[in-house]
């Protein structure tokens, strides 16, 4: 029997090169009302989490010699995890979310979306507009109301800031970058070099941690990349996030995505720090990068250079707009991609643009990224080789905006999917939140969005202060 509701999982699993028969191992609890939207956001979230969980179960089975276990994906857990940054409390304090200058603005001919959460992006925005430092929202609104959306987009990006004109889906497809993205697969995962098999040691004990013993260099920021590496940490990987000293992460964002990981600071332009990084790389299994394409090339960290320097590596590269096209080198965030690709127009009204009920491009792409790493580790264990996976927020957006491909809501599907255990209305995040004490205080946080038989149910360690760990493997 074909279950339309889970066709998105099949689509993503096929893109990962997985055995089609394994999709039958996924079961779910459908909860109407979770992540409500005009677009099939819950279907996207369910599919991305489902294939990530399945890739984890597959790797665990490979290392234990057992059958691939059942994977359980509960819409409530998924919806809660996809909005994890909103549910975080630090000693009872709610997190700081978007800054005042990160929002939609009406322009002379439409709308523009800006992102100014970081001080350097805020400074670039105000400089491009010719405004004094720390202008009020009213001052910025008055300035933008006199300019066209495309003029703002171009001038702010030229100044090093972040602004994107609101586009419809048709306008994005007609845009040169939109045309490039439309021609990309959902994700690209390639074996780029041959090499001997590198089997991971057998697993025993409980819980089963499929990525135990895997060393992951985390060169990512903001949400999508850190969500991917947070997931790998949940599964037992030794994840070390490395940041440059002059570009600190937002504290609450770090608290939300830092579970299970350690955090170090290295200046790759300094000789001693570069030696420390090279030593880390020498013993790494996985490198995950989340900077715009080309940004790390000067340090010898392009995909091609890494594959040559470290044969047998699994490299996962994340970008906003894709590795090709006129916008390949541009910075971007989930909210900006929503504005550019037609999502904000689809979710809005004639009066004002809208937004998805979660930063679903970030969270969805993050789980796809983790799944690509896990599938590559499974294949590397069996047949060897060096692997590169490339994903982009804009391509995930195209999946959401394109032909349904199974990303439909339960009411449209007419069924719960393979082996679904129930269908119950979503009634809030409560059952999928937990409290954990740690170096940052008492954290209320979202639990992992999936489970599988014998697998972990929570992270083994809470996040610590940003940059406080030594740059070495455990």
């Amino acid at each position: 029997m074909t279950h339309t509701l889970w066709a998105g999982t099949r689509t993503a699993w096929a893109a990962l090169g997985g055995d089609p028969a394994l999709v039958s191992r996924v079961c779910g609890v459908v909860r109407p009302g979770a992540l409500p939207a005009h677009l099939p956001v819950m279907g996207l979230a369910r599919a991305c989490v489902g294939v990530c969980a399945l890739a984890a179960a597959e790797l665990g089975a490979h290392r234990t010699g057992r059958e691939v276990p059942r994977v359980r994906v509960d819409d409530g857990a998924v919806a809660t995890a996809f909005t994890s940054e909103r549910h975080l409390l630090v000693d009872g304090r709610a997190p700081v979310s978007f800054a005042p200058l990160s929002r939609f603005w009406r322009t002379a001919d439409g709308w523009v979306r800006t992102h100014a959460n970081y001080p350097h992006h805020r400074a670039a925005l105000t400089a491009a507009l010719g405004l004094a430092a720390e202008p009020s929202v009213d001052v910025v609104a008055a300035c933008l109301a006199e300019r066209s959306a495309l003029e703002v987009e171009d001038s702010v990006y030229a100044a090093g800031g972040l602004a994107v004109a609101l586009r419809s889906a048709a306008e994005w497809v007609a845009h040169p970058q939109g045309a490039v993205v439309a021609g990309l697969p959902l994700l690209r995962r390639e074996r780029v070099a041959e090499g001997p098999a590198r089997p991971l040691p057998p697993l025993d004990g409980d819980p089963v941690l499929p990525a135990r013993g895997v060393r992951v260099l985390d060169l990512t920021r903001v949400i999508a990349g850190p969500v991917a590496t947070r997931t790998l940490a949940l599964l037992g990987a030794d994840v070390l996030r490395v940041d440059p000293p002059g570009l600190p992460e937002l504290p609450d964002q770090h608290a939300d995505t830092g579970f299970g990981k350690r955090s170090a600071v290295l200046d790759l332009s300094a000789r001693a720090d570069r030696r420390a990084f090279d030593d880390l790389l020498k013993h790494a299994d996985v490198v995950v990068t989340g900077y715009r394409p080309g940004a790390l090339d000067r340090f010898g960290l392009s995909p091609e250079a890494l594959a040559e320097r470290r044969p047998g590596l699994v490299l996962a590269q994340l970008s906003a707009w894709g590795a090709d096209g006129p916008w390949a080198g541009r910075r971007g965030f989930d909210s900006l991609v929503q504005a550019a690709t037609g999502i904000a127009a689809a979710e809005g009204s004639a009066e004002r643009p809208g937004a998805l009920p979660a930063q679903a491009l970030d969270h969805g792409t993050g789980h796809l990224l983790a799944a690509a790493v896990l599938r590559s580790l499974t294949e590397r264990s069996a047949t060897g080789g060096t692997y590169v996976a490339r994903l982009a927020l804009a391509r995930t957006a195209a999946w959401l905006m394109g032909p349904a491909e199974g990303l439909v809501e339960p009411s449209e599907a007419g069924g719960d999917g393979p082996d679904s255990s129930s269908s119950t209305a979503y009634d809030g995040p409560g059952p999928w939140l937990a409290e954990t004490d740690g170096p940052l205080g008492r954290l209320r946080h979202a639990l992992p969005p999936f489970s599988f038989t014998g697998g972990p149910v929570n992270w083994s360690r809470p996040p610590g202060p940003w940059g406080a760990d030594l740059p070495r493997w455990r």
Side-chain angles (χ1 to χ4, degrees), residues 12 20 23 33 119 129 202 255 265 305 309 344 373 455:
V23 177
L129 300 179
V265 172
R309 292 173 63 188
V373 169

Side-chain angles (χ1 to χ4, degrees), residues 188-469:
R188 290 188 289 187
R189 193 179 68 87
E190 305 168 283
R191 182 176 175 175
V192 297
E194 300 299 318
R198 296 181 61 181
L200 293 165
L203 288 177
D204 54 20
D206 187 34
V208 174
L209 299 174
R212 190 178 72 189
V214 174
R215 290 171 168 170
V216 178
L217 263 179
D218 178 4
L219 308 180
T220 70
R221 294 176 55 76
V222 195
I223 296 179
V227 162
T229 52
R230 180 180 69 182
T231 303
L232 296 174
L234 168 74
L235 299 168
D238 180 7
V239 178
L240 179 63
R241 174 169 164 168
V242 177
D243 284 282
L247 203 60
E249 184 61 283
L250 300 175
D252 291 336
Q253 202 159 256
H254 171 71
D256 177 49
T257 60
F259 280 86
K261 300 188 271 188
R262 294 177 299 122
S263 169
V265 172
L266 288 174
D267 181 357
L268 297 187
S269 63
R271 185 173 300 176
D273 282 8
R274 183 58 185 271
R275 284 198 299 267
F277 181 85
D278 288 345
D279 189 59
L280 290 170
L281 180 61
K282 189 184 304 181
H283 300 283
D285 297 286
V286 177
V287 176
V288 184
T289 66
Y291 294 80
R292 68 189 188 281
L296 300 176
D297 290 5
R298 69 186 187 277
F299 301 117
L301 300 179
S302 69
E304 297 77 15
L306 283 168
E308 183 176 344
R309 292 173 63 188
R310 180 74 169 123
L313 189 70
V314 173
L315 173 65
Q317 184 184 49
L318 171 74
S319 64
W321 307 107
D324 303 298
W327 281 19
R330 289 196 176 193
R331 298 175 180 88
F333 294 96
D334 184 306
S335 59
L336 299 179
V337 176
Q338 288 191 42
T341 59
I343 291 174
E347 290 296 329
S349 65
E351 290 75 33
R352 186 174 181 83
L356 298 177
Q359 295 195 74
L361 305 181
D362 269 332
H363 286 271
T365 308
H367 282 90
L368 289 176
L369 191 71
V373 169
L374 294 164
R375 287 245 58 249
S376 298
L377 288 170
T378 298
E379 291 187 4
R380 191 191 71 168
S381 294
T383 61
T386 303
Y387 293 82
V388 176
R390 293 180 174 90
L391 294 90
L393 301 185
R395 184 57 187 88
T396 305
W399 190 27
L400 180 64
M401 290 290 292
E405 295 186 82
L407 301 183
V408 294
E409 294 304 303
S411 60
E412 300 169 333
D416 293 342
D419 300 317
S420 290
S421 54
S422 67
S423 180
T424 306
Y426 180 65
D427 193 29
W432 302 284
L433 296 173
E435 292 193 347
T436 300
D437 292 316
L440 301 182
R442 188 166 185 81
L443 303 181
R444 188 192 74 175
H445 61 94
L447 288 167
F450 62 79
S451 62
F452 56 89
T453 305
V457 298
N458 204 342
W459 286 270
S460 62
R461 53 180 288 162
W466 179 86
D469 295 295

